[in-house]
Amino acid sequence: MKHHYVPQLYLRGFTADNGRLQVYDKKHNNFKKDKETPKTVLFEKHRNTIEVNGVRTDKLEKLYSSIETPLGQLFDKIRKGISQEELITENGIYLLKIFVATQFWRMPLLDFFADDYIRKLDLSQFGDRITVNNEPIGQVQEITQLIESSKGFRHSFRSFYLPLLTFDLRVHKSDFDCWRLHTVSPEFGCWDNFLTGDNPLIFEDVAEMFSFKSKFILPLSKTQLVTYSPSRNNHGEFPPIFSTKLAMVMNSQSQKYLVGANREYMAKIIELQESMYGSEGLYNLRQELFEYL
């Protein structure tokens, strides 16, 4: 019944030593009780349950598990302290792109947009990127008919076709210089609390992100994050203020829930953001953050 829209394999990297998560509810402006775990947050009941020929099924949830198996192995290594050389490989970059693409279309904040987007999508523009029985997907009449007639199929299409069609998942030679892993240094132990939320992907330009040409930040755990910079201006160490601005941006773009390991730190971030930027200065905040890339 509990279908996560941010996977547990990712959320495990943000827990405190006791395995708990702190969750700030933005709608009610308060923290949830200190009993949350990756299993109990960022899910909706029956989110991936669809109707096929009059029968309800959660097969989509099981299909997600097949994608999450290699991603789970990657995030296990990240939590144990993966290095730049271990992560920024052809396979590592490919898995990061897969995570970004699937997570993007998985988020509830796109619910009102995705269904209409799929209905209007010209599948012929994708050529033979995906084929069905050796036919380009845009030429398969059954696919176009199902998109028009079946809400359940559109949900399935959104989950497993759109990530492959809309994102460039190829690993290019230039990627090895543009992707960078950043790990909190031990001497800055007080800053080992990167945050995440129900919208964990931080893009400078969403339109350019589909081709991975936009500056981009993804916290991987409470101590590690990965950045993408087309200008390759992300190879140095970031100052502590970067972590503060990153946390504020994560809070500002989270739709309902902000998630982290340290409640006191999260409360200070929320208070600091309001006092420094309010609701009208968020554009400037994002600009300041991406200046480091």
Side-chain angles (χ1 to χ4, degrees):
M1 290 175 58
K2 294 181 179 180
H3 296 167
H4 285 74
Y5 49 82
V6 177
Q8 296 180 62
L9 63 89
Y10 171 72
L11 293 172
R12 292 188 190 107
F14 296 87
T15 61
D17 293 340
N18 62 3
R20 301 291 187 183
L21 288 166
Q22 298 296 327
V23 181
Y24 181 72
D25 186 327
K26 297 187 68 175
K27 180 179 179 180
H28 296 98
N29 296 319
N30 59 28
F31 283 90
K32 289 181 173 291
K33 292 183 179 180
D34 188 16
K35 296 182 180 180
E36 304 297 341
T37 69
K39 186 177 181 178
T40 64
V41 300
L42 303 188
F43 71 87
E44 291 179 3
K45 290 184 178 180
H46 294 297
R47 178 169 178 80
N48 295 319
T49 299
I50 63 172
E51 189 171 298
V52 179
N53 297 325
V55 179
R56 285 167 60 82
T57 175
D58 66 348
K59 187 176 180 180
L60 295 188
E61 184 68 10
K62 295 178 174 64
L63 286 174
Y64 267 122
S65 67
S66 66
I67 296 175
E68 291 176 353
T69 297
L71 289 174
Q73 295 169 352
L74 174 67
F75 279 94
D76 280 342
K77 292 180 180 178
I78 289 169
R79 286 196 301 275
K80 293 175 182 177
I82 199 169
S83 67
Q84 167 80 15
E85 292 71 24
E86 292 174 302
L87 180 61
I88 309 303
T89 64
E90 183 173 2
N91 186 58
I93 293 172
Y94 175 70
L95 288 175
L96 286 172
K97 287 187 174 185
I98 285 288
F99 178 77
V100 170
T102 54
Q103 182 58 52
F104 179 85
W105 287 111
R106 197 172 181 172
M107 293 185 293
L109 63 88
L110 292 180
D111 286 352
F112 293 105
F113 165 79
D115 195 71
D116 189 56
Y117 174 80
I118 293 170
R119 284 177 178 271
K120 296 177 180 178
L121 193 60
D122 178 12
L123 295 179
S124 64
Q125 67 179 297
F126 301 110
D128 60 358
R129 185 177 294 188
I130 294 180
T131 60
V132 179
N133 296 327
N134 296 320
E135 282 192 73
I137 191 172
Q139 298 178 18
V140 181
Q141 188 173 8
E142 183 180 5
I143 295 290
T144 56
Q145 289 175 343
L146 283 169
I147 285 177
E148 180 59 33
S149 63
S150 173
K151 182 179 180 180
F153 182 79
R154 289 194 297 275
H155 187 78
S156 175
F157 190 91
R158 169 186 175 178
S159 302
F160 303 107
Y161 285 85
L162 278 188
L164 302 178
L165 290 173
T166 56
F167 280 84
D168 180 6
L169 301 177
R170 297 170 296 174
V171 178
H172 304 280
K173 188 176 180 180
S174 61
D175 282 328
F176 294 92
D177 290 325
C178 296
W179 288 86
R180 194 76 180 174
L181 176 69
H182 306 268
T183 302
V184 174
S185 301
E187 59 265 30
F188 291 116
C190 60
W191 296 99
D192 65 345
N193 34 37
F194 294 134
L195 307 180
T196 189
D198 53 35
N199 179 15
L201 312 174
I202 302 177
F203 309 131
E204 183 178 43
D205 185 339
V206 175
E208 291 293 324
M209 193 59 219
F210 293 106
S211 57
F212 287 97
K213 293 180 180 178
S214 167
K215 291 180 181 179
F216 166 67
I217 304 170
L218 172 64
L220 297 174
S221 72
K222 63 183 179 182
T223 60
Q224 291 187 303
L225 60 84
V226 68
T227 62
Y228 177 89
S229 174
S231 64
R232 301 168 177 81
N233 189 32
N234 58 342
H235 287 210
E237 294 297 322
F238 295 140
I241 190 62
F242 173 84
S243 298
T244 303
K245 291 183 179 181
L246 174 63
M248 289 192 284
V249 168
M250 183 63 72
N251 176 54
S252 69
Q253 72 172 36
S254 294
Q255 187 178 34
K256 293 182 179 179
Y257 303 112
L258 181 69
V259 176
N262 188 317
R263 178 181 297 204
E264 182 181 359
Y265 173 73
M266 293 168 67
K268 288 180 179 178
I269 286 295
I270 294 166
E271 181 182 359
L272 184 62
Q273 179 191 319
E274 181 61 31
S275 63
M276 290 182 64
Y277 296 95
S279 59
E280 298 180 356
L282 298 180
Y283 175 77
N284 291 335
L285 170 62
R286 292 181 69 89
Q287 279 193 315
E288 292 171 11
L289 179 67
F290 282 110
E291 285 176 0
Y292 292 98
L293 275 69

